[in-house]
Amino acid sequence: MEILPLHQELVTYLKRRKLEKKFAKQALLFQNDPFHPGLNFELLEPKHLRLYSFRVDRKYRTILIFLQPNKAEIIDINNHYN
């Protein structure tokens, strides 16, 4: 699975919250196996929008879209509980 490079504002978001290492670890897991149980990978509601997410840690999640079957773009990283 290929993940496109992150937009600069997402890189800044990760740095401000000191999540770079956690994100890198989870992104590598996603690239090797999107369905790894530690990712909690899921299709978000409403399902017709085709937005997916995986866990960075208990508090933060990524939101992504598939551009092709094996190519994803992370469009947001956010606090899962806000």
Side-chain angles (χ1 to χ4, degrees):
M1 179 70 60
E2 178 185 354
I3 299 176
L4 294 181
L6 294 177
H7 294 277
Q8 186 57 46
E9 62 267 8
L10 295 178
V11 172
T12 301
Y13 185 90
L14 290 170
K15 286 181 182 179
R16 285 186 182 154
R17 289 157 182 82
K18 299 181 181 0
L19 292 170
E20 301 109 302
K21 288 182 183 179
K22 287 182 180 182
F23 173 79
K25 178 183 174 237
Q26 295 299 89
L28 185 60
L29 276 178
F30 180 77
Q31 289 173 318
N32 292 325
D33 178 10
F35 299 101
H36 187 282
L39 293 172
N40 287 33
F41 179 70
E42 63 185 340
L43 175 61
L44 301 176
E45 297 285 343
K47 293 181 180 193
H48 73 276
L49 294 179
R50 314 278 303 155
L51 295 171
Y52 296 84
S53 74
F54 69 80
R55 178 185 286 179
V56 174
D57 65 11
R58 288 184 177 202
K59 186 175 178 181
Y60 293 96
R61 297 190 65 83
T62 64
I63 308 298
L64 61 107
I65 58 172
F66 285 95
L67 303 173
Q68 297 173 1
N70 286 321
K71 185 184 283 189
E73 180 178 9
I74 295 174
I75 58 173
D76 194 23
I77 301 169
N78 60 45
N79 184 328
H80 184 54
Y81 299 104
N82 282 344

